[in-house]
């Protein structure tokens, strides 16, 4: 039986409340699963810490994150806590943490659960696809760099390397192997999303993608321009399985995807590398909700389910894998029941009440129910 140490970063705004709610569920999950051994250590990082100390991510906290088996982060940043140049502290911390952990692939599921509100009138055979964004390059490679000449000219550089694109493309195909295919017909498919008709960097991204596809002949590979994909995601999202793209494109389309299936409160995410994993909800800190026990904790809880799935895959641990399935199933059950929900999905329940309902639902779910 493996034991896993999890570094917790509750962060700012609604982050600590969502993390507390997630701990309610995870503590119950450990009791439900014989052999699931998780230990947690919480660390301060983010905007409130910066306000007090001038640091967002102390060296000791970063060292603890690197030493842990996985990092679970809730939400970081506050709009009024900024550097002297006017930029927020959150991007600096997150980019630094991603680079230190070398998490090259960011995974954003877009899945419509029964009971969740949908922005579309028709949902066809269902919505269940994955957006994967290259996490360390692209336009984000200019973070902290770029150039500004007086008050007239500013530039940033988009960076695409063969290594980075190969890593994220290979990751996408390996993930597609594990999935059931697109909802419309079960076909396993990876789609490269780019702007290869305009930019050399994007044409190169597509070239490297199709080079990676040669190692997976059993999986369909195709490519769609990013502007067309923003249309197709709304018109026929059930025709897609796994989408892979440059960092900035993924940052934008993943929020569109979340908007289709209930909003950011239901949007988990994972950032994965060869050795490390960082898991966090896709929403921000929502300071207007902080302290009101009103935020939706489901995105953080589903991110924890992704963490367990990643640990199970990395360590060939069926207990972690089964626990992930049960945890997602408990969230799905509470959504489908429709009795205990936060305001963002049409209910009146508190953060704590939702967490307690999910914890209670764990005993009704099995590893084969999702």
């Amino acid at each position: 039986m493996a034991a896993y140490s999890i570094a917790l970063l509750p962060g700012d705004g609604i982050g600590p409340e969502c993390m507390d709610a997630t701990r309610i569920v995870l503590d119950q999950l450990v009791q439900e699963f014989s052999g699931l051994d998780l230990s947690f250590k919480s660390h301060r990082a983010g905007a409130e810490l910066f306000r007090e100390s001038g640091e967002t991510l102390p060296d000791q906290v970063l060292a603890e994150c690197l030493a842990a088996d996985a990092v679970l982060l809730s939400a970081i940043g506050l709009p009024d806590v900024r550097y002297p140049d006017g930029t927020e502290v959150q991007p600096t911390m997150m980019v630094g943490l991603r680079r230190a952990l070398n998490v090259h692939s960011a995974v954003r599921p877009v899945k419509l659960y029964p009971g969740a509100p949908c922005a579309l009138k028709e949902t066809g055979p269902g919505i269940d696809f994955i957006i994967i964004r290259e996490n360390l390059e692209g336009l984000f490679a200019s973070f902290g760099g770029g150039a500004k000449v007086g008050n007239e000219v500013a530039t940033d550089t988009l960076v695409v390397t063969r290594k980075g694109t190969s890593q994220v493309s290979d990751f996408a195909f390996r993930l597609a192997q594990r999935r059931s295919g697109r909802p419309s017909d079960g076909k396993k498919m990876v789609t490269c999303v780019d702007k290869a008709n305009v930019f050399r960097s994007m044409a190169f991204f597509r070239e490297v993608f199709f080079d990676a596809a040669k190692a997976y002949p059993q999986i369909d590979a195709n490519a769609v321009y990013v502007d067309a994909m923003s249309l197709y995601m709304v018109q026929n999202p059930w025709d897609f399985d796994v989408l892979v793209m440059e960092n900035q494109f993924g940052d934008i389309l993943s929020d569109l995807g979340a908007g289709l299936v209930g909003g950011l409160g239901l949007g988990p995410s994972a950032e994965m590398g060869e050795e490390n994993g960082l898991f966090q909800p896709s929403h921000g800190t929502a300071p207007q909700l902080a302290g009101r026990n009103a935020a939706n904790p489901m995105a953080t809880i589903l991110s924890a389910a992704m963490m367990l799935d990643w640990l199970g895959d990395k360590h060939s641990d069926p207990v972690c894998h089964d626990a992930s399935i049960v945890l997602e199933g408990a969230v799905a059950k509470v959504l489908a029941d429709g009795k205990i929900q936060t305001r963002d999905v049409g209910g009146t329940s508190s953060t704590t009440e939702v967490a307690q309902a999910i914890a209670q639902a764990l005993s009704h779910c099995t590893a084969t129910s999702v």
Side-chain angles (χ1 to χ4, degrees):
M1 295 182 185
Y4 303 103
S5 62
I6 312 300
L8 303 180
L9 301 178
D12 305 302
I14 62 172
E17 296 164 70
C18 290
M19 187 67 80
D20 288 345
T22 302
R23 280 297 307 273
I24 290 172
V25 178
L26 288 176
D27 288 346
Q28 182 63 37
L29 186 67
V30 169
Q31 294 184 38
E32 296 283 341
F33 266 83
S34 175
L36 182 63
D37 189 349
L38 305 176
S39 63
F40 304 98
K41 188 173 182 180
S42 186
H43 308 278
R44 289 196 69 199
E48 287 290 359
L49 179 63
F50 180 84
R51 203 198 305 264
E52 295 177 14
S53 67
E55 288 187 290
T56 57
L57 184 65
D59 290 344
Q60 181 58 38
V61 174
L62 178 57
E64 295 273 4
C65 291
L66 288 166
D69 292 297
V71 180
L72 182 62
L73 183 153
S74 192
I76 291 289
L78 293 170
D80 64 326
V81 181
R82 297 173 179 264
Y83 292 112
D85 66 0
T87 59
E88 286 190 43
V89 302
Q90 183 265 356
T92 301
M93 177 189 155
M94 288 308 306
V95 171
L97 183 59
R98 288 165 180 158
R99 289 174 177 172
L101 294 172
N102 196 28
V103 283
H104 52 69
S105 298
V107 180
R108 290 279 294 270
V110 181
K111 183 173 182 177
L112 181 61
Y113 292 95
C118 182
L120 304 180
K121 291 182 180 179
E122 301 292 336
T123 58
I127 302 173
D128 185 358
F129 65 91
I130 300 280
I131 291 175
I132 300 178
R133 53 187 283 208
E134 197 290 319
N135 206 36
L136 300 174
E137 298 181 353
L139 195 57
F140 277 65
S142 271
F143 182 81
K148 182 180 180 183
V149 181
N151 291 317
E152 298 297 328
V153 178
T155 65
D156 287 295
T157 302
L158 190 154
V159 176
V160 174
T161 71
R162 178 169 290 276
K163 178 181 178 181
T165 307
S166 295
Q167 279 183 324
V168 74
S169 298
D170 184 71
F171 182 94
F173 281 101
R174 285 188 282 119
L175 182 58
Q177 285 181 318
R178 298 181 58 199
R179 286 174 48 82
S180 300
R182 61 185 188 177
S184 60
D185 58 10
K187 180 184 292 183
K188 295 178 184 289
M189 183 173 70
V190 179
T191 302
C192 176
V193 180
D194 58 44
K195 197 63 178 171
N197 57 332
V198 176
F199 299 109
R200 289 180 177 177
S201 58
M202 292 288 95
F204 181 62
F205 189 99
R206 181 180 289 200
E207 173 189 332
V208 176
F209 166 81
F210 279 111
D211 284 346
K214 295 173 184 176
Y216 301 90
Q218 74 280 16
I219 298 175
D220 279 12
N222 66 345
V224 175
Y225 297 138
V226 64
D227 46 339
M229 180 55 71
S230 65
L231 174 69
Y232 300 154
M233 282 176 58
V234 174
Q235 287 186 330
N236 53 312
W238 41 83
D239 283 346
F240 298 100
D241 182 14
V242 177
L243 313 180
V244 63
M245 62 200 73
E246 177 269 338
N247 207 329
Q248 182 66 22
F249 290 166
D251 193 26
I252 296 168
L253 289 189
S254 57
D255 275 18
L256 172 60
L260 297 177
V261 294
L264 293 174
L266 297 177
S269 74
E271 301 175 36
M272 306 175 188
E274 304 309 311
E275 297 297 329
N276 299 303
L278 170 64
F279 304 86
Q280 61 175 318
S282 55
H283 60 68
T285 56
Q288 72 277 10
L289 294 179
R292 294 170 53 187
N293 198 26
N296 190 343
M298 287 183 172
T300 310
I301 294 167
L302 288 170
S303 298
M306 295 181 73
M307 176 186 73
L308 291 169
D309 181 70
W310 178 76
L311 286 170
D313 187 50
K314 181 182 178 184
H315 299 282
S316 299
D317 186 341
V319 173
C320 272
H321 182 258
D322 288 348
S324 170
I325 294 173
V326 167
L327 180 50
E328 183 186 5
V331 174
K333 183 178 187 304
V334 171
L335 273 171
D337 288 346
K339 298 175 183 177
I340 301 178
Q341 297 182 351
T342 46
R343 291 186 182 276
D344 61 308
V345 289
T348 59
S349 304
S350 70
T351 306
T352 304
E353 287 170 338
V354 170
Q356 291 170 340
I358 295 171
Q360 291 173 4
L362 291 170
S363 61
H364 299 285
C365 299
T366 67
T368 58
S369 65
V370 178

